[in-house]
Amino acid sequence: MIYVTADLHGDAGRLAAKEIRRLKKGDTLIVLGDFGFLWQGTPKEKKILKKLGKKKYQILFIDGAHENFDLLEQYPLQDWGGGQVRHIEGGLRYLARGQVFVIEGKRIFVMGGGESDEKELRSRQQKWFPQELPDPRQMEEARENLERFRWSVDYVLTHECSETMKIFLSSVQQGNRLNQFLTEIEEKLQFRRWFFGCYHLDKQIPPRHCAVYRAVWPLDE
């Protein structure tokens, strides 16, 4: 089974929740951004990553707005599941932006990235990274990958959401370039359900969207 949760922010206690302890060998947990366990590159952090890689289920994650992208990019890209990943440790992998993976027979399009609302503060603290928003090359690669699947997948997993959905959730007047790109995808892509993190909200939004935070939801629920 494939499950999704979001925004762990490096909190190992979240993985001790009863919903996650129920996961079995062979299951997959996908974190929808702001994973947070690759932040400082310390020996203590590497020890935690090794422990996560030894879980009986595999852990996959996309990036959000609060990641150490310089550290993440030190792991080389590899082919896995039909797309590109960065293999972190054991069963722990980062799913690169704009890829389509086939996992347990399901076609899954992923698009990480987000925009920090504390950019100025994080810049002063040297905790802000310009890579947080996808660049045009990554967006074009996403279009090309979806074209290979004739713009039809089973699930969409993102950290941010479309501009339309962001306006609905947060009453902003306009999203960033990632929100606008995801609106383009939303209007053209055939999909069953779309799960996204970012908003620290657990909410099903009919007919096909789910905002995810602490909940651990199976894709096929």
Side-chain angles (χ1 to χ4, degrees), residues 45-78:
E45 188 173 80
K46 291 178 181 178
K47 185 176 180 180
I48 293 173
L49 292 172
K50 185 167 289 189
K51 185 176 180 180
L52 296 180
K54 290 181 178 178
K55 294 284 188 183
K56 60 185 176 182
Y57 52 89
Q58 68 176 343
I59 300 176
L60 312 175
F61 67 97
I62 63 175
D63 58 281
H66 301 152
E67 316 283 359
N68 185 331
F69 290 95
D70 291 345
L71 183 59
L72 181 59
E73 290 169 3
Q74 291 179 18
Y75 294 85
L77 285 169
Q78 301 177 357

Side-chain angles (χ1 to χ4, degrees), residues 37-49:
F37 289 97
L38 282 92
W39 189 251
Q40 296 176 314
T42 61
K44 180 180 178 181
E45 188 173 80
K46 291 178 181 178
K47 185 176 180 180
I48 293 173
L49 292 172

Side-chain angles (χ1 to χ4, degrees), residues 98-100 109-111 138-147 151-153 155-158 160-164 177-191 193-194 208-209:
Q99 305 294 300
V100 179
F109 171 68
V110 308
M111 192 70 189
Q138 292 171 328
M139 293 180 183
E140 185 56 32
E141 183 178 2
R143 294 185 186 98
E144 291 172 358
N145 287 330
L146 288 172
E147 185 67 37
W151 291 86
S152 178
V153 299
Y155 299 102
V156 178
L157 305 182
T158 60
E160 262 289 2
C161 59
S162 68
E163 183 176 52
T164 307
R177 68 173 183 262
L178 175 57
N179 301 126
Q180 294 163 7
F181 169 74
L182 293 176
T183 294
E184 172 196 334
I185 298 300
E186 187 177 60
E187 291 174 349
K188 188 173 182 179
L189 184 64
Q190 296 181 37
F191 62 93
R193 298 187 81 190
W194 184 317
R208 295 185 294 172
H209 291 74

Side-chain angles (χ1 to χ4, degrees), residues 1 22-28 55-58 104:
M1 288 282 288
R22 291 173 181 163
L23 270 62
K24 303 182 294 296
K25 183 177 180 180
D27 284 341
T28 298
K55 294 284 188 183
K56 60 185 176 182
Y57 52 89
Q58 68 176 343
E104 295 186 15

Side-chain angles (χ1 to χ4, degrees), residues 81-172:
Q84 290 205 305
V85 304
R86 297 186 189 274
H87 182 216
I88 309 301
E89 186 73 48
L92 175 63
R93 294 177 174 87
Y94 159 74
L95 305 179
R97 294 171 174 175
Q99 305 294 300
V100 179
F101 297 94
V102 179
I103 305 173
E104 295 186 15
K106 299 172 178 64
R107 291 173 295 180
I108 301 173
F109 171 68
V110 308
M111 192 70 189
E115 186 173 31
S116 173
D117 55 6
E118 301 173 330
K119 178 179 176 180
E120 185 176 339
L121 173 61
R122 289 180 177 274
S123 295
R124 292 199 300 268
Q125 296 175 340
Q126 296 184 326
K127 295 181 178 179
W128 178 80
F129 298 86
Q131 305 100 307
E132 65 180 21
L133 278 174
D135 59 38
R137 177 189 56 81
Q138 292 171 328
M139 293 180 183
E140 185 56 32
E141 183 178 2
R143 294 185 186 98
E144 291 172 358
N145 287 330
L146 288 172
E147 185 67 37
R148 290 193 297 110
F149 285 84
R150 299 186 177 182
W151 291 86
S152 178
V153 299
D154 296 305
Y155 299 102
V156 178
L157 305 182
T158 60
H159 180 65
E160 262 289 2
C161 59
S162 68
E163 183 176 52
T164 307
M165 186 62 64
K166 184 167 187 173
I167 292 172
F168 169 73
L169 288 174
S170 60
S171 72
V172 299

